[in-house]
């Protein structure tokens, strides 16, 4: 590799990290690395999916005792698991309702700061992401118990929102970095109020990042266990239910639920991508 090509490789912004990694490594090593990477990601999901069709009463693929669909029927008949699933969905929606406006407001606040205090407030707002979930759960429970509020659905939503809002803030702040502030100034010069500028100019621009942040908030809430465990009270979200089943006797019905969620997620992603391409073709 010549010196000029090295400089070009290092200074070209469009070259992604993965592409750079691939160019610097021999093709065989890079292909092996990518194969191991995707195997690490998807092999556990594949094993879980295959175990759903095994007759064994314990989630496993070995020994293979026969092929069956009975575990989907067992999933359908497990009312406690469905209640836990709907509770987790309800909690995730509540977390979105709280963390989305808080995270967006924090991002707008940071974007408006231009002095040294910006680094301080940025570190302060990101700190909940770095705090262990156990500590957040205990702290939330102790605080609200002083006000006479015990554990339950509301406290789960509050506890999860305290750190999930930081994820929303980071995603919205990243989008704001590319926003042209002259559009706001032009709208104000034309007589628009600040509220109207936010509704008609800034909010449509932030829409993609807000939708992505809502999805991230939903997933972070849905899979959360450490924080939820301490503030749940008598409620049993899905993660707590599955953890309890691991101790008392796990069956492949849980695998059937996982496989169903994976298929639903893939279909939703395909539907979103088809809708996005349709809108792009229509706009052109």
């Amino acid at each position: 590799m010549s010196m000029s090509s090295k400089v070009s490789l290092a200074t070209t912004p469009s070259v992604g990290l993965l592409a750079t990694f691939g160019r610097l490594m021999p093709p065989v090593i890079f292909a092996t690395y990518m194969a191991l990477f995707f195997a690490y990601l998807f092999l556990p999901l594949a094993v879980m999916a295959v175990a759903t069709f095994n007759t064994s009463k314990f989630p496993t693929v070995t020994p293979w005792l026969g092929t069956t669909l009975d575990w989907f029927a067992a999933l359908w008949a497990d009312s406690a698991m469905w209640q836990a699933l709907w509770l987790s969905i309800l909690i995730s929606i509540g977390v979105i309702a709280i963390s989305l406006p808080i995270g967006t407001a924090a991002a707008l606040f940071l974007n408006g700061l231009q002095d040294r205090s910006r680094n301080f407030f940025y570190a302060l707002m990101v700190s909940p992401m770095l705090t262990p979930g156990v500590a957040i759960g205990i702290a939330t429970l102790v605080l609200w118990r002083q006000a006479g509020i015990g554990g339950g659905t509301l406290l789960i939503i509050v506890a999860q929102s305290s750190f999930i809002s930081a994820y929303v803030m980071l995603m919205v702040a990243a989008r704001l970095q590319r926003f042209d502030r002259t559009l706001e100034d032009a709208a104000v010069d034309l007589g628009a109020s600040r509220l109207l500028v936010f509704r008609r100019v800034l909010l449509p621009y932030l829409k993609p990042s807000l939708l992505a942040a809502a999805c991230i908030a939903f997933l972070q809430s849905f899979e959360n266990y450490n924080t939820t465990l301490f503030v749940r009270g008598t409620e049993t979200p899905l993660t707590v239910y599955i953890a309890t089943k691991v101790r008392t006797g796990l069956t492949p019905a849980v695998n059937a639920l996982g496989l169903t969620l994976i298929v639903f997620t893939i279909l939703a992603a395909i539907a979103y991508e088809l809708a996005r391409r349709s809108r792009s073709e229509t706009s052109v």
Side-chain angles (χ1 to χ4, degrees):
M1 181 180 292
S2 65
M3 182 61 68
S4 60
S5 61
K6 290 182 179 179
V7 174
S8 175
L9 179 64
T11 57
T12 303
S14 61
V15 177
L17 179 61
L18 187 60
T20 304
F21 189 53
R23 292 183 183 183
L24 296 178
M25 292 184 63
V28 175
I29 297 179
F30 180 71
T32 303
Y33 168 79
M34 293 302 300
L36 293 175
F37 175 76
F38 284 109
Y40 174 79
L41 287 180
F42 296 110
L43 189 59
L45 298 179
V47 172
M48 182 205 69
V50 173
T52 306
F53 303 97
N54 191 359
T55 307
S56 172
K57 293 183 178 181
F58 185 79
T60 182
V61 294
T62 56
W64 189 263
L65 303 181
T67 304
T68 182
L69 296 176
D70 292 344
W71 298 118
F72 289 96
L75 169 64
W76 184 258
D78 193 342
S79 59
M81 184 181 294
W82 285 108
Q83 291 176 2
L85 174 62
W86 296 128
L87 178 60
S88 293
I89 294 175
L90 175 64
I91 291 171
S92 299
I93 294 174
V95 169
I96 292 175
I98 293 179
S99 62
L100 208 61
I102 292 178
T104 303
L108 293 173
F109 173 75
L110 282 178
N111 191 61
L113 295 177
Q114 302 297 333
D115 53 12
R116 294 181 179 179
S117 62
R118 180 174 183 175
N119 293 332
F120 169 77
F121 283 108
Y122 176 82
L124 183 65
M125 293 175 183
V126 172
S127 60
M129 294 175 52
L130 309 177
T131 305
V134 174
I136 293 178
I138 295 175
T140 304
L141 182 63
V142 171
L143 173 65
W144 288 96
R145 271 189 176 177
Q146 302 299 317
I149 301 177
T153 302
L154 179 60
L155 206 58
I156 295 175
I157 294 174
V158 171
Q160 291 184 359
S161 299
S162 63
F163 69 91
I164 293 178
S165 298
Y167 289 95
V168 177
M169 183 270 293
L170 289 176
M171 299 188 70
V172 176
R175 179 74 172 174
L176 283 172
Q177 293 296 322
R178 300 187 297 272
F179 180 64
D180 187 1
R181 300 300 297 268
T182 58
L183 297 177
E184 287 184 332
D185 298 334
V188 171
D189 291 341
L190 293 174
S193 64
R194 287 294 178 181
L195 180 59
L196 186 61
V197 171
F198 176 78
R199 289 174 49 200
R200 296 293 184 86
V201 179
L202 187 58
L203 199 58
Y205 178 80
L206 294 178
K207 183 179 177 181
S209 62
L210 291 176
L211 292 176
C215 292
I216 294 297
F218 182 90
L219 295 175
Q220 285 287 332
S221 172
F222 191 82
E223 69 176 7
N224 183 264
Y225 175 76
N226 293 335
T227 302
T228 304
L229 182 64
F230 288 91
V231 295
R232 70 184 184 91
T234 59
E235 302 291 347
T236 307
L238 184 62
T239 52
V240 177
Y241 177 83
I242 293 177
T244 304
K245 294 287 287 185
V246 170
R247 294 192 297 268
T248 60
L250 193 64
T251 68
V254 175
N255 294 50
L257 176 62
L259 180 58
T260 302
L261 293 176
I262 291 174
V263 172
F264 176 79
T265 303
I266 293 175
L267 292 178
I270 293 175
Y272 173 79
E273 181 63 20
L274 292 177
R276 187 188 65 82
R277 293 186 179 183
S278 177
R279 289 195 301 268
S280 299
E281 293 175 357
T282 303
S283 60
V284 173

